[in-house]
Amino acid sequence: MSVLPEQQRQGIGSALMREALSRVRDSGEAMVVLWGHPEFYPRFGFRRASDFGLLPDTPAAMVYPLQADLRAYAGLSLPH
């Protein structure tokens, strides 16, 4: 997901992210994974993948949990 630079800071990216998360909440998946800006995505509930024991431990690897317990995924290497 991206927004053209000249269209940024108008709420477009936030609206897109809120809509995407609303569509995936009841999907049955365990989590949403993305590589993104560590200062932008936490406002939507994303946390560092390493908070859940996922690899690699980098600020850009982020997870939005869709299940309360993600311990079964600890040690998993995320695609990049």
Side-chain angles (χ1 to χ4, degrees), residues 12-29:
I12 298 168
S14 293
L16 289 170
M17 181 53 64
R18 282 191 299 275
E19 180 63 22
L21 292 175
S22 74
R23 290 181 182 216
V24 74
R25 278 194 183 97
D26 295 322
S27 68
E29 297 296 332

Side-chain angles (χ1 to χ4, degrees), residues 1-74:
M1 177 177 71
S2 65
V3 177
L4 292 170
E6 59 270 15
Q7 299 295 318
Q8 293 177 358
R9 303 203 183 279
Q10 298 180 33
I12 298 168
S14 293
L16 289 170
M17 181 53 64
R18 282 191 299 275
E19 180 63 22
L21 292 175
S22 74
R23 290 181 182 216
V24 74
R25 278 194 183 97
D26 295 322
S27 68
E29 297 296 332
M31 69 189 98
V32 175
V33 175
L34 62 77
W35 292 83
H37 201 282
E39 277 100 45
F40 180 75
Y41 291 98
R43 71 181 80 177
F44 303 102
F46 282 88
R47 294 174 34 202
R48 285 181 66 151
S50 61
D51 290 353
F52 301 99
L54 300 166
L55 303 170
D57 182 6
T58 176
M62 311 215 53
V63 168
Y64 180 89
L66 296 169
Q67 296 177 357
D69 186 359
L70 296 180
R71 287 180 289 181
Y73 298 94

